[in-house]
Amino acid sequence: MQSSTSFTRETVQLDGETFYDCDFQKCRLVYAGGEAPVFKDCRFEDCDWKFEESAARTLEHMKAVWNAGGKQQLQGLIKEITSGGAARS
């Protein structure tokens, strides 16, 4: 667990990590699809979020679903995510 840490212009691997009261400034934040990271009371400024490996493949699949006519379903999922609700399986 990272606590009260400042990251500046760093590449930070997120999988399986917990960050509490951390500052991220101009960082490259990388998620590869492993255990989801946990952020509590963290601040982000001008960061670049990158998705690699399994996470990137999931995004590619979502694009394919969107383009195949699944726009409404994906918009529903995005609404659940942004409203704080649990994602459907």
Side-chain angles (χ1 to χ4, degrees):
M1 176 168 87
Q2 298 285 338
S3 180
S4 300
T5 304
S6 291
F7 299 92
T8 304
R9 298 184 196 278
E10 296 180 47
T11 295
V12 181
Q13 299 294 330
L14 302 177
D15 294 65
E17 295 291 337
T18 299
F19 300 92
Y20 177 75
D21 191 37
C22 292
D23 289 306
F24 299 88
Q25 296 182 6
K26 300 180 189 239
C27 290
R28 181 175 197 243
L29 304 172
V30 181
Y31 178 62
E35 185 178 339
V38 175
F39 299 101
K40 177 129 175 86
D41 299 324
C42 293
R43 291 152 303 281
F44 303 89
E45 182 181 326
D46 199 24
C47 290
D48 187 20
W49 297 80
K50 294 292 182 184
F51 299 90
E52 297 179 344
E53 300 175 25
S54 296
R57 288 189 296 275
T58 298
L59 291 177
E60 286 301 316
H61 173 69
M62 292 174 76
K63 288 178 191 177
V65 169
W66 181 280
N67 291 327
K71 179 179 177 179
Q72 184 177 1
Q73 290 81 3
L74 287 176
Q75 285 176 324
L77 179 60
I78 292 167
K79 184 176 179 180
E80 282 186 43
I81 292 168
T82 58
S83 68
R88 293 175 288 188
S89 5

